[in-house]
Amino acid sequence: IRQTVQRANAIITVSRFTARELQELLQVPAARVHAVHSGLDPAMHVPAESDVRDLRRRLHLPGPYLLTVGTLEPRKNIPFLLEVFERLEKVEVDLVIAGRRGWKYEPILARLEQSPRRARIHLVEDLDERDLPALYGGAELFVLPSLYEGFGFPPLESMACGTPAVVSTGGSLPEVCGDAAVVIPEFDAELWAQEIRALLEAPGRLDALCQRGFAHARGFSWAETARQTWQVY
């Protein structure tokens, strides 16, 4: 990577966060680094109610649920999310974790199986991508306490599908989500549980966040990504 970076006339990164990392870790001059955000798949849009009902039936999700999407690996911080969910025992809501097994997934699955709220946790490992909009759209909230993201598609996809997001400050998430998501700066399980509970109990605030997120997600298009990439070339 160091050699490639030294040879390159210009370097494109998917976020300003990653651009800063290149400059700091590999001493790349700022003038050679160009941050170009990725776009969103047009298929990520508010789903039809019938599609949401059908998916709920197939996944046995009769009630409201929180959702996280991503590969089961350490940086996604799933054990922390499980701790947060366990502190929501008085809230009538399930947790859906959608993602395939990745690097070092075994401790994550072991922690999930040991959860005292295991009966209300749904692990979805083989979801068809065409079902993602319905899964996003059917959730009360999207939650991502990730330790590190170079870009972070899932919260934006969730916003595009009409569901607000609660995210950490992991990597580029504050940059990509802006003020359209609730960004929690600390990994404090009680703080996260309180914020999620407060949102679920405030329909007006939830709706405002939903509208803000929907408008924000529309700013991420592959056409704009292509235009900016062409400018770099």
Side-chain angles (χ1 to χ4, degrees), residues 63-76:
Y65 62 89
L66 305 176
L67 172 67
T68 195
V69 173
T71 306
L72 299 181
E73 60 186 11
R75 71 184 174 91
K76 297 297 182 181

Side-chain angles (χ1 to χ4, degrees), residues 6 17 28 33 35-36 39-40 47 49 51 70 97-98 110 114 118 134 148 186 201 205 221 227 230:
Q6 294 305 318
F17 166 77
V28 181
V33 185
V36 177
L40 283 182
E49 289 185 12
D51 290 341
I97 300 171
Q114 294 162 6
R118 178 65 182 92
Y148 182 97
E186 302 172 49
E201 293 173 353
R205 186 182 169 204
S221 72
R227 187 189 69 79
W230 176 245

Side-chain angles (χ1 to χ4, degrees), residues 1-11 22 25-29 32:
I1 290 176
R2 286 183 183 276
Q3 292 173 354
T4 302
V5 162
Q6 294 305 318
R7 286 197 303 267
N9 297 109
I11 300 158
L22 269 180
L25 297 175
L26 300 181
Q27 291 76 53
V28 181
R32 289 172 53 211

Side-chain angles (χ1 to χ4, degrees), residues 198-217:
L199 279 169
L200 295 177
E201 293 173 353
R205 186 182 169 204
L206 209 56
D207 185 60
L209 192 60
C210 176
Q211 296 304 319
R212 204 156 68 233
F214 186 70
H216 181 71

Side-chain angles (χ1 to χ4, degrees), residues 123-206:
L123 179 60
V124 182
E125 297 187 71
D126 55 355
L127 189 76
D128 190 309
E129 282 199 19
R130 290 171 294 186
D131 287 328
L132 262 177
L135 187 66
Y136 281 125
E140 301 297 305
L141 274 176
F142 177 82
V143 186
L144 185 65
S146 180
L147 298 170
Y148 182 97
E149 295 291 330
F151 181 71
F153 279 104
L156 286 176
E157 292 175 343
S158 180
M159 293 179 201
C161 295
T163 296
V166 177
V167 301
S168 67
T169 53
S172 67
L173 288 176
E175 170 192 339
V176 171
C177 295
D179 65 354
V182 173
V183 181
I184 303 179
E186 302 172 49
F187 290 110
D188 179 330
E190 185 57 33
L191 179 63
W192 278 69
Q194 288 174 4
E195 186 61 48
I196 291 169
R197 191 183 299 112
L199 279 169
L200 295 177
E201 293 173 353
R205 186 182 169 204
L206 209 56

